[in-house]
Amino acid sequence: MEREIIDLGGPWILASWGPMRMRIAAWGGRGKESAKEGGKKAFEIFEELPPYLLLLRRKVREIGEEDGWPEVVRRMIEASRMVDDEDLTPLSAVAGTLSELVTEYLVREGVRRAIAENGGDISLHLAEGEEVNVGVRLRVGSPQVTHILRIQEGMGIKGVATSGLGGRSLTKGVAEAAVVLASQASLADAAATSVANATLISSPRVKRVRAEELDPYTDLRGELVTLRVGELTPGEREEALRRGLFRAEELVERGLIFGAIISVQGEVRWTEGIRPLLQ
């Protein structure tokens, strides 16, 4: 597949190459030209990953320390390690890490506000006095925005990531969306994977298969993942939400994330810090 930089109108461009489809916007600096340079930077970073795919498919607990890793690989490993979930591999943080490195590049280019969104995983840069509204979709891939989060400079929120059923990555849980806010997009990405996985419940209405049946290149080979979920009982929905919320609150208490929103078949829960952000 060829690399493409596509003008989406307004401040936005799309950097498309293989599985990566990153939307980038920049205000200040050179505006859209800066965004286009950010797209080229995204290609450069993405190109560093293939030689490390075998490493990145390993459980993070099995990976030692190494000085020679590219920055993108180091951050993926670091983010997934910080979340402290034995099920995670560094690929749990790949989309958020790519977005994060692109916004950092744009900051060096002199932009005041930058957004890089990679498959629903968003990295933000807000200069002093800046703010941004982020739409929340309570079903991965849905076009419908159900909630708006107002994020201001000074809050320390630079990453918003979503994981769940129907996403590009496989999930072990039943959440249609687990949306996590954190100080880094890489960390938000890994944490969202962990929170979504935590909504795992035992039910005859949940069909699971081996991960490699859905993706021969998966980093979850040999493990059961969710294929589809039928209509859950009210008790099952509540149990899934309780499990996900418990995991999210653990991460909040450790200072790793700002908060999370979890959706299971129309039922929504969020951690305490989220409510003031909702519009």
Side-chain angles (χ1 to χ4, degrees):
M1 258 185 155
E2 292 186 4
R3 306 180 187 192
E4 291 185 280
I5 302 282
I6 302 168
D7 190 330
L8 297 178
W12 292 93
I13 64 97
L14 173 69
S16 176
W17 185 27
M20 184 183 74
R21 293 179 60 81
M22 184 183 295
R23 296 193 312 139
I24 304 169
W27 293 262
R30 294 182 294 126
K32 181 165 281 186
E33 288 306 311
S34 293
K36 290 178 180 178
E37 291 301 315
K40 294 175 185 177
K41 186 65 176 178
F43 296 149
E44 292 176 15
I45 299 166
F46 188 65
E47 199 169 26
E48 294 181 304
L49 291 175
Y52 295 91
L53 283 178
L54 288 179
L55 172 72
L56 297 173
R57 289 189 178 114
R58 294 170 58 188
K59 299 297 185 186
V60 70
R61 66 177 183 272
E62 301 171 357
I63 299 174
E65 299 297 332
E66 172 63 53
D67 292 332
W69 291 326
E71 182 66 8
V72 61
V73 171
R74 186 191 68 76
R75 289 205 196 184
M76 289 167 62
I77 292 171
E78 181 181 85
S80 51
R81 186 175 283 149
M82 288 173 68
V83 171
D84 193 23
D85 182 333
E86 65 178 15
D87 281 344
L88 294 188
T89 73
L91 287 174
S92 65
V94 61
T97 303
L98 285 164
S99 295
E100 182 177 300
L101 290 170
V102 167
T103 56
E104 290 180 4
Y105 169 80
L106 291 172
V107 171
R108 295 193 295 271
E109 288 287 292
V111 307
R112 288 188 50 78
R113 180 158 51 115
I115 303 172
E117 181 265 326
N118 189 11
D121 298 323
I122 302 168
S123 179
L124 305 168
H125 166 71
L126 301 173
E128 185 176 356
E130 296 281 354
E131 64 179 50
V132 67
N133 289 334
V134 176
V136 174
R137 294 172 172 84
L138 293 181
R139 184 188 293 268
V140 173
S142 169
Q144 182 181 6
V145 172
T146 57
H147 298 72
I148 300 292
L149 296 169
R150 184 183 182 189
I151 299 174
Q152 297 173 312
E153 178 274 330
M155 291 178 173
I157 299 170
K158 295 186 177 180
V160 182
T162 304
S163 185
L165 291 166
R168 293 187 301 180
S169 300
L170 303 177
T171 184
K172 297 182 178 183
V174 299
E176 290 163 323
V179 182
V180 168
L181 288 70
S183 61
Q184 301 168 252
S186 54
L187 185 54
D189 194 1
T193 303
S194 181
V195 171
N197 283 345
T199 63
L200 167 70
I201 59 169
S202 177
S203 168
R205 285 161 284 279
V206 180
K207 171 67 174 177
R208 293 188 172 86
V209 296
R210 298 288 178 186
E212 59 271 25
E213 295 181 35
L214 300 179
D215 178 3
Y217 304 107
T218 181
D219 56 333
L220 302 175
R221 180 169 291 276
E223 300 179 47
L224 290 174
V225 297
T226 304
L227 174 63
R228 62 178 175 269
V229 181
E231 184 66 27
L232 299 175
T233 68
E236 289 171 333
R237 290 196 295 271
E238 190 60 36
E239 176 65 10
L241 288 163
R242 184 192 67 78
R243 289 170 178 260
L245 198 60
F246 182 80
R247 178 57 177 151
E249 288 172 342
E250 281 185 328
L251 296 172
V252 171
E253 288 173 9
R254 289 170 53 200
L256 292 178
I257 69 172
F258 182 88
I261 305 172
I262 306 166
S263 170
V264 176
Q265 294 189 346
E267 298 286 337
V268 184
R269 301 288 186 278
W270 50 69
T271 56
E272 186 176 348
I274 293 295
R275 185 180 294 276
L277 304 183
L278 293 172
Q279 301 297 297

